[in-house]
Amino acid sequence: MTQGSLELQEKRQRFVFDQRWQVAKYDQELPCKALLRALPGSKAIDFCGRTSDTVFLIEVKDFRTHHGENRERLDPSTAALAREVAEKVRDSIAGIVGAGRTSTSDGRFWARIGKGCASPVDELVIVLWMEIDSHGQSAQQMKPRLDAHLKKLKEHLRWTGARVMLLNEHVWEDDLPGLQVRTVERPQP
């Protein structure tokens, strides 16, 4: 967990969080690893963080390659991706609450995130950051496809009472204050 300007990379995306954020790359933190050892098959979101009055759970997907094996996940009518993200959110909230109760390192951070997930005072925001091939389409042309995914995502996450967002580089207008995201070039073979 870190507060202040922090740069984290997930897949081909570089996320730069400013000083307003306290953030952790949850799927690499000790509490997440403990949950995965205790309950094999559990899943984890990529980032969790908070600003003064908002808790964020962020999952990152980059579907700009490997289209064939992701065909079902990319078809919003199957709701496969929405289910996958909802399961990660469910397991991550459980792990975060447990970390707040048991963690000896960064326990205050995990307790604040866990309380924020449950508090009606703090806003909970769940973000799917999903990069897909634009095939030369504008953001407006991509919107119906992304909206279909967002609709399924909201249905599967209704139980959280959270604001649910689907963002990517094409449909992002500073929706998350204090966060900048950019694609990192793929390494050359």
Side-chain angles (χ1 to χ4, degrees), residues 71-92:
R71 189 176 322 276
E72 182 181 349
R73 292 164 77 201
L74 287 169
D75 179 354
S77 69
T78 69
L81 182 59
R83 272 192 308 279
E84 177 184 330
V85 172
E87 290 170 357
K88 287 183 174 206
V89 167
R90 175 199 63 204
D91 293 355
S92 297

mmCIF file with all atom_site columns, all heavy atoms in Angstrom, residues 71-92:
data_model
loop_
_atom_site.group_PDB
_atom_site.id
_atom_site.type_symbol
_atom_site.label_atom_id
_atom_site.label_alt_id
_atom_site.label_comp_id
_atom_site.label_asym_id
_atom_site.label_entity_id
_atom_site.label_seq_id
_atom_site.pdbx_PDB_ins_code
_atom_site.Cartn_x
_atom_site.Cartn_y
_atom_site.Cartn_z
_atom_site.occupancy
_atom_site.B_iso_or_equiv
_atom_site.pdbx_formal_charge
_atom_site.auth_seq_id
_atom_site.auth_comp_id
_atom_site.auth_asym_id
_atom_site.auth_atom_id
_atom_site.pdbx_PDB_model_num
ATOM 1   N N   . ARG A 1 71 ? -13.190 -15.059 -27.232 1.00 0.00 ? 71 ARG A N   1
ATOM 2   C CA  . ARG A 1 71 ? -14.429 -14.791 -27.960 1.00 0.00 ? 71 ARG A CA  1
ATOM 3   C C   . ARG A 1 71 ? -15.649 -14.799 -27.025 1.00 0.00 ? 71 ARG A C   1
ATOM 4   O O   . ARG A 1 71 ? -16.467 -13.893 -27.052 1.00 0.00 ? 71 ARG A O   1
ATOM 5   C CB  . ARG A 1 71 ? -14.615 -15.796 -29.087 1.00 0.00 ? 71 ARG A CB  1
ATOM 6   C CG  . ARG A 1 71 ? -15.754 -15.474 -30.016 1.00 0.00 ? 71 ARG A CG  1
ATOM 7   C CD  . ARG A 1 71 ? -15.857 -16.443 -31.197 1.00 0.00 ? 71 ARG A CD  1
ATOM 8   N NE  . ARG A 1 71 ? -14.594 -16.883 -31.753 1.00 0.00 ? 71 ARG A NE  1
ATOM 9   C CZ  . ARG A 1 71 ? -13.879 -16.209 -32.670 1.00 0.00 ? 71 ARG A CZ  1
ATOM 10  N NH1 . ARG A 1 71 ? -14.326 -15.074 -33.125 1.00 0.00 ? 71 ARG A NH1 1
ATOM 11  N NH2 . ARG A 1 71 ? -12.741 -16.692 -33.131 1.00 0.00 ? 71 ARG A NH2 1
ATOM 12  N N   . GLU A 1 72 ? -15.777 -15.826 -26.177 1.00 0.00 ? 72 GLU A N   1
ATOM 13  C CA  . GLU A 1 72 ? -16.940 -15.900 -25.278 1.00 0.00 ? 72 GLU A CA  1
ATOM 14  C C   . GLU A 1 72 ? -16.937 -14.744 -24.276 1.00 0.00 ? 72 GLU A C   1
ATOM 15  O O   . GLU A 1 72 ? -17.974 -14.147 -24.012 1.00 0.00 ? 72 GLU A O   1
ATOM 16  C CB  . GLU A 1 72 ? -16.968 -17.226 -24.527 1.00 0.00 ? 72 GLU A CB  1
ATOM 17  C CG  . GLU A 1 72 ? -18.180 -17.343 -23.621 1.00 0.00 ? 72 GLU A CG  1
ATOM 18  C CD  . GLU A 1 72 ? -18.229 -18.641 -22.839 1.00 0.00 ? 72 GLU A CD  1
ATOM 19  O OE1 . GLU A 1 72 ? -17.444 -19.560 -23.120 1.00 0.00 ? 72 GLU A OE1 1
ATOM 20  O OE2 . GLU A 1 72 ? -19.054 -18.713 -21.926 1.00 0.00 ? 72 GLU A OE2 1
ATOM 21  N N   . ARG A 1 73 ? -15.767 -14.429 -23.727 1.00 0.00 ? 73 ARG A N   1
ATOM 22  C CA  . ARG A 1 73 ? -15.682 -13.343 -22.747 1.00 0.00 ? 73 ARG A CA  1
ATOM 23  C C   . ARG A 1 73 ? -16.011 -11.998 -23.386 1.00 0.00 ? 73 ARG A C   1
ATOM 24  O O   . ARG A 1 73 ? -16.532 -11.112 -22.713 1.00 0.00 ? 73 ARG A O   1
ATOM 25  C CB  . ARG A 1 73 ? -14.282 -13.313 -22.130 1.00 0.00 ? 73 ARG A CB  1
ATOM 26  C CG  . ARG A 1 73 ? -14.017 -14.529 -21.267 1.00 0.00 ? 73 ARG A CG  1
ATOM 27  C CD  . ARG A 1 73 ? -12.547 -14.700 -20.984 1.00 0.00 ? 73 ARG A CD  1
ATOM 28  N NE  . ARG A 1 73 ? -12.081 -13.788 -19.968 1.00 0.00 ? 73 ARG A NE  1
ATOM 29  C CZ  . ARG A 1 73 ? -10.805 -13.443 -19.824 1.00 0.00 ? 73 ARG A CZ  1
ATOM 30  N NH1 . ARG A 1 73 ? -9.878  -13.911 -20.632 1.00 0.00 ? 73 ARG A NH1 1
ATOM 31  N NH2 . ARG A 1 73 ? -10.460 -12.611 -18.875 1.00 0.00 ? 73 ARG A NH2 1
ATOM 32  N N   . LEU A 1 74 ? -15.679 -11.829 -24.660 1.00 0.00 ? 74 LEU A N   1
ATOM 33  C CA  . LEU A 1 74 ? -15.929 -10.561 -25.344 1.00 0.00 ? 74 LEU A CA  1
ATOM 34  C C   . LEU A 1 74 ? -17.348 -10.424 -25.879 1.00 0.00 ? 74 LEU A C   1
ATOM 35  O O   . LEU A 1 74 ? -17.730 -9.349  -26.334 1.00 0.00 ? 74 LEU A O   1
ATOM 36  C CB  . LEU A 1 74 ? -14.928 -10.378 -26.492 1.00 0.00 ? 74 LEU A CB  1
ATOM 37  C CG  . LEU A 1 74 ? -13.512 -10.044 -26.041 1.00 0.00 ? 74 LEU A CG  1
ATOM 38  C CD1 . LEU A 1 74 ? -12.529 -10.152 -27.186 1.00 0.00 ? 74 LEU A CD1 1
ATOM 39  C CD2 . LEU A 1 74 ? -13.476 -8.660  -25.425 1.00 0.00 ? 74 LEU A CD2 1
ATOM 40  N N   . ASP A 1 75 ? -18.132 -11.484 -25.802 1.00 0.00 ? 75 ASP A N   1
ATOM 41  C CA  . ASP A 1 75 ? -19.522 -11.437 -26.236 1.00 0.00 ? 75 ASP A CA  1
ATOM 42  C C   . ASP A 1 75 ? -20.382 -11.058 -25.032 1.00 0.00 ? 75 ASP A C   1
ATOM 43  O O   . ASP A 1 75 ? -20.576 -11.875 -24.135 1.00 0.00 ? 75 ASP A O   1
ATOM 44  C CB  . ASP A 1 75 ? -19.938 -12.808 -26.786 1.00 0.00 ? 75 ASP A CB  1
ATOM 45  C CG  . ASP A 1 75 ? -21.384 -12.842 -27.247 1.00 0.00 ? 75 ASP A CG  1
ATOM 46  O OD1 . ASP A 1 75 ? -22.127 -11.851 -27.041 1.00 0.00 ? 75 ASP A OD1 1
ATOM 47  O OD2 . ASP A 1 75 ? -21.776 -13.885 -27.797 1.00 0.00 ? 75 ASP A OD2 1
ATOM 48  N N   . PRO A 1 76 ? -20.906 -9.831  -24.990 1.00 0.00 ? 76 PRO A N   1
ATOM 49  C CA  . PRO A 1 76 ? -21.660 -9.413  -23.805 1.00 0.00 ? 76 PRO A CA  1
ATOM 50  C C   . PRO A 1 76 ? -22.907 -10.258 -23.542 1.00 0.00 ? 76 PRO A C   1
ATOM 51  O O   . PRO A 1 76 ? -23.355 -10.368 -22.412 1.00 0.00 ? 76 PRO A O   1
ATOM 52  C CB  . PRO A 1 76 ? -22.028 -7.959  -24.076 1.00 0.00 ? 76 PRO A CB  1
ATOM 53  C CG  . PRO A 1 76 ? -21.691 -7.695  -25.488 1.00 0.00 ? 76 PRO A CG  1
ATOM 54  C CD  . PRO A 1 76 ? -20.799 -8.787  -25.989 1.00 0.00 ? 76 PRO A CD  1
ATOM 55  N N   . SER A 1 77 ? -23.449 -10.905 -24.571 1.00 0.00 ? 77 SER A N   1
ATOM 56  C CA  . SER A 1 77 ? -24.665 -11.695 -24.364 1.00 0.00 ? 77 SER A CA  1
ATOM 57  C C   . SER A 1 77 ? -24.417 -12.912 -23.475 1.00 0.00 ? 77 SER A C   1
ATOM 58  O O   . SER A 1 77 ? -25.338 -13.422 -22.853 1.00 0.00 ? 77 SER A O   1
ATOM 59  C CB  . SER A 1 77 ? -25.271 -12.123 -25.700 1.00 0.00 ? 77 SER A CB  1
ATOM 60  O OG  . SER A 1 77 ? -24.437 -13.075 -26.338 1.00 0.00 ? 77 SER A OG  1
ATOM 61  N N   . THR A 1 78 ? -23.171 -13.380 -23.378 1.00 0.00 ? 78 THR A N   1
ATOM 62  C CA  . THR A 1 78 ? -22.866 -14.536 -22.516 1.00 0.00 ? 78 THR A CA  1
ATOM 63  C C   . THR A 1 78 ? -22.710 -14.127 -21.062 1.00 0.00 ? 78 THR A C   1
ATOM 64  O O   . THR A 1 78 ? -22.806 -14.970 -20.174 1.00 0.00 ? 78 THR A O   1
ATOM 65  C CB  . THR A 1 78 ? -21.565 -15.226 -22.949 1.00 0.00 ? 78 THR A CB  1
ATOM 66  O OG1 . THR A 1 78 ? -20.449 -14.351 -22.670 1.00 0.00 ? 78 THR A OG1 1
ATOM 67  C CG2 . THR A 1 78 ? -21.579 -15.618 -24.417 1.00 0.00 ? 78 THR A CG2 1
ATOM 68  N N   . ALA A 1 79 ? -22.431 -12.868 -20.799 1.00 0.00 ? 79 ALA A N   1
ATOM 69  C CA  . ALA A 1 79 ? -22.174 -12.327 -19.460 1.00 0.00 ? 79 ALA A CA  1
ATOM 70  C C   . ALA A 1 79 ? -20.973 -12.995 -18.781 1.00 0.00 ? 79 ALA A C   1
ATOM 71  O O   . ALA A 1 79 ? -20.792 -12.875 -17.579 1.00 0.00 ? 79 ALA A O   1
ATOM 72  C CB  . ALA A 1 79 ? -23.408 -12.417 -18.571 1.00 0.00 ? 79 ALA A CB  1
ATOM 73  N N   . ALA A 1 80 ? -20.141 -13.693 -19.540 1.00 0.00 ? 80 ALA A N   1
ATOM 74  C CA  . ALA A 1 80 ? -18.987 -14.390 -18.963 1.00 0.00 ? 80 ALA A CA  1
ATOM 75  C C   . ALA A 1 80 ? -18.027 -13.411 -18.293 1.00 0.00 ? 80 ALA A C   1
ATOM 76  O O   . ALA A 1 80 ? -17.552 -13.665 -17.176 1.00 0.00 ? 80 ALA A O   1
ATOM 77  C CB  . ALA A 1 80 ? -18.261 -15.191 -20.048 1.00 0.00 ? 80 ALA A CB  1
ATOM 78  N N   . LEU A 1 81 ? -17.733 -12.310 -18.941 1.00 0.00 ? 81 LEU A N   1
ATOM 79  C CA  . LEU A 1 81 ? -16.814 -11.334 -18.362 1.00 0.00 ? 81 LEU A CA  1
ATOM 80  C C   . LEU A 1 81 ? -17.422 -10.679 -17.125 1.00 0.00 ? 81 LEU A C   1
ATOM 81  O O   . LEU A 1 81 ? -16.737 -10.494 -16.117 1.00 0.00 ? 81 LEU A O   1
ATOM 82  C CB  . LEU A 1 81 ? -16.440 -10.275 -19.404 1.00 0.00 ? 81 LEU A CB  1
ATOM 83  C CG  . LEU A 1 81 ? -15.440 -9.213  -18.954 1.00 0.00 ? 81 LEU A CG  1
ATOM 84  C CD1 . LEU A 1 81 ? -14.122 -9.853  -18.513 1.00 0.00 ? 81 LEU A CD1 1
ATOM 85  C CD2 . LEU A 1 81 ? -15.195 -8.215  -20.076 1.00 0.00 ? 81 LEU A CD2 1
ATOM 86  N N   . ALA A 1 82 ? -18.696 -10.365 -17.168 1.00 0.00 ? 82 ALA A N   1
ATOM 87  C CA  . ALA A 1 82 ? -19.367 -9.763  -16.005 1.00 0.00 ? 82 ALA A CA  1
ATOM 88  C C   . ALA A 1 82 ? -19.325 -10.706 -14.810 1.00 0.00 ? 82 ALA A C   1
ATOM 89  O O   . ALA A 1 82 ? -19.051 -10.277 -13.681 1.00 0.00 ? 82 ALA A O   1
ATOM 90  C CB  . ALA A 1 82 ? -20.811 -9.412  -16.357 1.00 0.00 ? 82 ALA A CB  1
ATOM 91  N N   . ARG A 1 83 ? -19.573 -11.992 -15.033 1.00 0.00 ? 83 ARG A N   1
ATOM 92  C CA  . ARG A 1 83 ? -19.498 -12.979 -13.944 1.00 0.00 ? 83 ARG A CA  1
ATOM 93  C C   . ARG A 1 83 ? -18.086 -13.063 -13.380 1.00 0.00 ? 83 ARG A C   1
ATOM 94  O O   . ARG A 1 83 ? -17.884 -13.115 -12.173 1.00 0.00 ? 83 ARG A O   1
ATOM 95  C CB  . ARG A 1 83 ? -19.940 -14.362 -14.432 1.00 0.00 ? 83 ARG A CB  1
ATOM 96  C CG  . ARG A 1 83 ? -21.413 -14.617 -14.332 1.00 0.00 ? 83 ARG A CG  1
ATOM 97  C CD  . ARG A 1 83 ? -21.756 -16.084 -14.556 1.00 0.00 ? 83 ARG A CD  1
ATOM 98  N NE  . ARG A 1 83 ? -21.192 -16.640 -15.778 1.00 0.00 ? 83 ARG A NE  1
ATOM 99  C CZ  . ARG A 1 83 ? -21.712 -16.483 -16.997 1.00 0.00 ? 83 ARG A CZ  1
ATOM 100 N NH1 . ARG A 1 83 ? -22.818 -15.779 -17.156 1.00 0.00 ? 83 ARG A NH1 1
ATOM 101 N NH2 . ARG A 1 83 ? -21.137 -17.034 -18.049 1.00 0.00 ? 83 ARG A NH2 1
ATOM 102 N N   . GLU A 1 84 ? -17.110 -13.083 -14.264 1.00 0.00 ? 84 GLU A N   1
ATOM 103 C CA  . GLU A 1 84 ? -15.709 -13.171 -13.846 1.00 0.00 ? 84 GLU A CA  1
ATOM 104 C C   . GLU A 1 84 ? -15.329 -11.985 -12.960 1.00 0.00 ? 84 GLU A C   1
ATOM 105 O O   . GLU A 1 84 ? -14.731 -12.157 -11.891 1.00 0.00 ? 84 GLU A O   1
ATOM 106 C CB  . GLU A 1 84 ? -14.824 -13.218 -15.092 1.00 0.00 ? 84 GLU A CB  1
ATOM 107 C CG  . GLU A 1 84 ? -13.348 -13.246 -14.826 1.00 0.00 ? 84 GLU A CG  1
ATOM 108 C CD  . GLU A 1 84 ? -12.537 -13.197 -16.116 1.00 0.00 ? 84 GLU A CD  1
ATOM 109 O OE1 . GLU A 1 84 ? -13.010 -13.691 -17.177 1.00 0.00 ? 84 GLU A OE1 1
ATOM 110 O OE2 . GLU A 1 84 ? -11.425 -12.651 -16.064 1.00 0.00 ? 84 GLU A OE2 1
ATOM 111 N N   . VAL A 1 85 ? -15.699 -10.790 -13.371 1.00 0.00 ? 85 VAL A N   1
ATOM 112 C CA  . VAL A 1 85 ? -15.371 -9.594  -12.592 1.00 0.00 ? 85 VAL A CA  1
ATOM 113 C C   . VAL A 1 85 ? -16.138 -9.603  -11.275 1.00 0.00 ? 85 VAL A C   1
ATOM 114 O O   . VAL A 1 85 ? -15.574 -9.292  -10.219 1.00 0.00 ? 85 VAL A O   1
ATOM 115 C CB  . VAL A 1 85 ? -15.648 -8.305  -13.401 1.00 0.00 ? 85 VAL A CB  1
ATOM 116 C CG1 . VAL A 1 85 ? -15.492 -7.064  -12.539 1.00 0.00 ? 85 VAL A CG1 1
ATOM 117 C CG2 . VAL A 1 85 ? -14.729 -8.234  -14.620 1.00 0.00 ? 85 VAL A CG2 1
ATOM 118 N N   . ALA A 1 86 ? -17.416 -9.985  -11.297 1.00 0.00 ? 86 ALA A N   1
ATOM 119 C CA  . ALA A 1 86 ? -18.208 -10.025 -10.067 1.00 0.00 ? 86 ALA A CA  1
ATOM 120 C C   . ALA A 1 86 ? -17.616 -11.015 -9.060  1.00 0.00 ? 86 ALA A C   1
ATOM 121 O O   . ALA A 1 86 ? -17.574 -10.738 -7.859  1.00 0.00 ? 86 ALA A O   1
ATOM 122 C CB  . ALA A 1 86 ? -19.658 -10.388 -10.382 1.00 0.00 ? 86 ALA A CB  1
ATOM 123 N N   . GLU A 1 87 ? -17.137 -12.150 -9.533  1.00 0.00 ? 87 GLU A N   1
ATOM 124 C CA  . GLU A 1 87 ? -16.497 -13.121 -8.636  1.00 0.00 ? 87 GLU A CA  1
ATOM 125 C C   . GLU A 1 87 ? -15.215 -12.550 -8.041  1.00 0.00 ? 87 GLU A C   1
ATOM 126 O O   . GLU A 1 87 ? -14.927 -12.738 -6.857  1.00 0.00 ? 87 GLU A O   1
ATOM 127 C CB  . GLU A 1 87 ? -16.201 -14.419 -9.390  1.00 0.00 ? 87 GLU A CB  1
ATOM 128 C CG  . GLU A 1 87 ? -17.450 -15.201 -9.728  1.00 0.00 ? 87 GLU A CG  1
ATOM 129 C CD  . GLU A 1 87 ? -17.196 -16.363 -10.682 1.00 0.00 ? 87 GLU A CD  1
ATOM 130 O OE1 . GLU A 1 87 ? -16.040 -16.541 -11.144 1.00 0.00 ? 87 GLU A OE1 1
ATOM 131 O OE2 . GLU A 1 87 ? -18.164 -17.094 -10.977 1.00 0.00 ? 87 GLU A OE2 1
ATOM 132 N N   . LYS A 1 88 ? -14.448 -11.827 -8.838  1.00 0.00 ? 88 LYS A N   1
ATOM 133 C CA  . LYS A 1 88 ? -13.221 -11.207 -8.329  1.00 0.00 ? 88 LYS A CA  1
ATOM 134 C C   . LYS A 1 88 ? -13.543 -10.151 -7.277  1.00 0.00 ? 88 LYS A C   1
ATOM 135 O O   . LYS A 1 88 ? -12.869 -10.063 -6.251  1.00 0.00 ? 88 LYS A O   1
ATOM 136 C CB  . LYS A 1 88 ? -12.416 -10.580 -9.478  1.00 0.00 ? 88 LYS A CB  1
ATOM 137 C CG  . LYS A 1 88 ? -11.738 -11.600 -10.354 1.00 0.00 ? 88 LYS A CG  1
ATOM 138 C CD  . LYS A 1 88 ? -10.902 -10.920 -11.415 1.00 0.00 ? 88 LYS A CD  1
ATOM 139 C CE  . LYS A 1 88 ? -10.105 -11.956 -12.184 1.00 0.00 ? 88 LYS A CE  1
ATOM 140 N NZ  . LYS A 1 88 ? -8.892  -11.405 -12.770 1.00 0.00 ? 88 LYS A NZ  1
ATOM 141 N N   . VAL A 1 89 ? -14.585 -9.367  -7.521  1.00 0.00 ? 89 VAL A N   1
ATOM 142 C CA  . VAL A 1 89 ? -14.999 -8.349  -6.551  1.00 0.00 ? 89 VAL A CA  1
ATOM 143 C C   . VAL A 1 89 ? -15.439 -9.016  -5.253  1.00 0.00 ? 89 VAL A C   1
ATOM 144 O O   . VAL A 1 89 ? -15.027 -8.624  -4.164  1.00 0.00 ? 89 VAL A O   1
ATOM 145 C CB  . VAL A 1 89 ? -16.107 -7.449  -7.135  1.00 0.00 ? 89 VAL A CB  1
ATOM 146 C CG1 . VAL A 1 89 ? -16.766 -6.605  -6.060  1.00 0.00 ? 89 VAL A CG1 1
ATOM 147 C CG2 . VAL A 1 89 ? -15.536 -6.564  -8.238  1.00 0.00 ? 89 VAL A CG2 1
ATOM 148 N N   . ARG A 1 90 ? -16.296 -10.029 -5.363  1.00 0.00 ? 90 ARG A N   1
ATOM 149 C CA  . ARG A 1 90 ? -16.793 -10.748 -4.183  1.00 0.00 ? 90 ARG A CA  1
ATOM 150 C C   . ARG A 1 90 ? -15.630 -11.286 -3.335  1.00 0.00 ? 90 ARG A C   1
ATOM 151 O O   . ARG A 1 90 ? -15.550 -11.043 -2.130  1.00 0.00 ? 90 ARG A O   1
ATOM 152 C CB  . ARG A 1 90 ? -17.697 -11.905 -4.630  1.00 0.00 ? 90 ARG A CB  1
ATOM 153 C CG  . ARG A 1 90 ? -18.188 -12.797 -3.501  1.00 0.00 ? 90 ARG A CG  1
ATOM 154 C CD  . ARG A 1 90 ? -18.671 -14.139 -4.004  1.00 0.00 ? 90 ARG A CD  1
ATOM 155 N NE  . ARG A 1 90 ? -17.584 -14.879 -4.622  1.00 0.00 ? 90 ARG A NE  1
ATOM 156 C CZ  . ARG A 1 90 ? -17.754 -15.836 -5.527  1.00 0.00 ? 90 ARG A CZ  1
ATOM 157 N NH1 . ARG A 1 90 ? -18.970 -16.147 -5.948  1.00 0.00 ? 90 ARG A NH1 1
ATOM 158 N NH2 . ARG A 1 90 ? -16.720 -16.464 -6.039  1.00 0.00 ? 90 ARG A NH2 1
ATOM 159 N N   . ASP A 1 91 ? -14.714 -12.009 -3.977  1.00 0.00 ? 91 ASP A N   1
ATOM 160 C CA  . ASP A 1 91 ? -13.598 -12.609 -3.240  1.00 0.00 ? 91 ASP A CA  1
ATOM 161 C C   . ASP A 1 91 ? -12.661 -11.543 -2.693  1.00 0.00 ? 91 ASP A C   1
ATOM 162 O O   . ASP A 1 91 ? -12.128 -11.689 -1.578  1.00 0.00 ? 91 ASP A O   1
ATOM 163 C CB  . ASP A 1 91 ? -12.835 -13.577 -4.140  1.00 0.00 ? 91 ASP A CB  1
ATOM 164 C CG  . ASP A 1 91 ? -13.650 -14.806 -4.529  1.00 0.00 ? 91 ASP A CG  1
ATOM 165 O OD1 . ASP A 1 91 ? -14.780 -14.973 -4.025  1.00 0.00 ? 91 ASP A OD1 1
ATOM 166 O OD2 . ASP A 1 91 ? -13.152 -15.596 -5.352  1.00 0.00 ? 91 ASP A OD2 1
ATOM 167 N N   . SER A 1 92 ? -12.472 -10.468 -3.436  1.00 0.00 ? 92 SER A N   1
ATOM 168 C CA  . SER A 1 92 ? -11.569 -9.402  -2.987  1.00 0.00 ? 92 SER A CA  1
ATOM 169 C C   . SER A 1 92 ? -12.135 -8.666  -1.785  1.00 0.00 ? 92 SER A C   1
ATOM 170 O O   . SER A 1 92 ? -11.394 -8.362  -0.839  1.00 0.00 ? 92 SER A O   1
ATOM 171 C CB  . SER A 1 92 ? -11.285 -8.429  -4.129  1.00 0.00 ? 92 SER A CB  1
ATOM 172 O OG  . SER A 1 92 ? -10.610 -9.093  -5.178  1.00 0.00 ? 92 SER A OG  1
#
